[in-house]
Amino acid sequence: AQKVTQAQTEISVVEKEDVTLDCVYETRDTTYYLFWYKQPPSGELVFLIRRNSFDEQNEISGRYSWNFQKSTSSFNFTITASQVVDSAVYFCALSEAEDAGNNRKLIWGLGTSLAVNP
Amino acid sequence: DAGVTQSPTHLIKTRGQQVTLRCSPKSGHDTVSWYQQALGQGPQFIFQYYEEEERQRGNFPDRFSGHQFPNYSSELNVNALLLGDSALYLCASSPTGTGNTEAFFGQGTRLTVV
């Protein structure tokens, strides 16, 4: 069975601190996708990144970076020099690869609530 | 170009009633998925529609049903509402066969059952 674990329920940091959000996943599939989404108080889920299981290269996008390690089944997300606007709930999610052209469902963690204080 | 739009944004219903939630996908997207997000939880997959058919279904009772129209818009219907159905209902649209690469979510419908 597929499962996503985000062990950190809440994190509070002071602006400009670096913060890492942990994500551990379980799957028996060899091909799968991992995602991070941001959910601000408005409720809309904002896509941040998708990583293919065959691509273990770390990725950096501005202040955001992601560390994918298949050996430990982890896909961690780091925000460098955090800002108040980064305050939100962050979700890690997992899906199988497409099946006969159909996009597979997303399996979600419980989310990590990040509060960045001025 | 409008993204995914959902209506209504908020809804209050009484236990036992029926409710219909609506979703218009992003232009060019033909696959619509529905998720239920209880307070403090991650979203839970309800079902997915493509070509007006239900293609995948999560672990939800038959009280939850849906429909997709020829213009790809979709409805989620919930019958015999329970207090536990209170949640944020999210619609996601994507082009088929893209592995959710371009999955976009609406702002959700917050349903309160009293």
Side-chain angles (χ1 to χ4, degrees):
Chain A
Q2 297 180 314
K3 184 180 178 181
V4 175
T5 301
Q6 295 180 255
Q8 304 151 309
T9 305
E10 296 181 357
I11 298 177
S12 181
V13 299
V14 177
E15 206 170 17
K16 298 184 182 178
E17 283 187 25
D18 298 347
V19 58
T20 295
L21 310 182
D22 298 332
C23 174
V24 174
Y25 63 92
E26 297 176 28
T27 181
R28 295 180 180 177
D29 298 315
T30 55
T31 304
Y32 52 90
Y33 301 116
L34 294 164
F35 303 79
W36 276 95
Y37 280 85
K38 175 181 180 179
Q39 188 174 43
S42 61
E44 183 174 349
L45 284 161
V46 178
F47 170 82
L48 296 177
I49 189 172
R50 184 192 88 157
R51 175 61 74 213
N52 184 305
S53 57
F54 293 112
D55 181 3
E56 289 192 68
Q57 281 192 340
N58 292 330
E59 181 158 339
I60 298 175
S61 177
R63 296 184 298 106
Y64 295 170
S65 62
W66 291 269
N67 184 341
F68 176 31
Q69 292 193 346
K70 288 181 73 172
S71 60
T72 56
S73 297
S74 65
F75 186 43
N76 297 336
F77 172 33
T78 297
I79 302 175
T80 302
S82 60
Q83 300 176 0
V84 173
V85 294
D86 296 328
S87 297
V89 180
Y90 290 86
F91 288 96
C92 180
L94 164 72
S95 79
E96 303 165 26
E98 306 88 278
D99 176 16
N102 294 320
N103 297 331
R104 305 303 293 175
K105 65 183 179 183
L106 290 165
I107 307 297
W108 301 77
L110 293 180
T112 297
S113 178
L114 174 65
V116 181
N117 303 299
Chain B
D1 175 30
V4 180
T5 57
Q6 293 185 240
S7 63
T9 54
H10 293 82
L11 201 53
I12 299 175
K13 288 287 189 178
T14 302
R15 189 171 45 183
Q17 285 188 315
Q18 178 265 345
V19 68
T20 297
L21 311 182
R22 296 177 176 81
C23 172
S24 293
K26 181 177 171 61
S27 177
H29 289 189
D30 53 10
T31 299
V32 174
S33 300
W34 287 92
Y35 291 82
Q36 179 195 66
Q37 186 180 16
L39 196 61
Q41 303 292 314
Q44 297 291 317
F45 176 76
I46 304 175
F47 43 54
Q48 180 188 89
Y49 277 85
Y50 171 65
E51 291 188 335
E52 302 179 49
E53 290 186 4
E54 183 182 292
R55 295 303 181 106
Q56 300 175 62
R57 189 178 181 91
N59 189 25
F60 279 80
D62 292 344
R63 298 187 296 109
F64 289 77
S65 62
H67 188 76
Q68 185 179 37
F69 299 94
N71 66 353
Y72 307 128
S73 66
S74 176
E75 290 182 348
L76 163 64
N77 300 294
V78 186
N79 295 321
L81 285 167
L82 303 174
L83 297 180
D85 295 330
S86 295
L88 179 68
Y89 288 84
L90 293 160
C91 169
S93 75
S94 60
T96 191
T98 55
N100 293 304
T101 301
E102 299 176 32
F104 285 83
F105 283 80
Q107 81 283 5
T109 294
R110 188 164 296 281
L111 172 65
T112 302
V113 182
V114 298

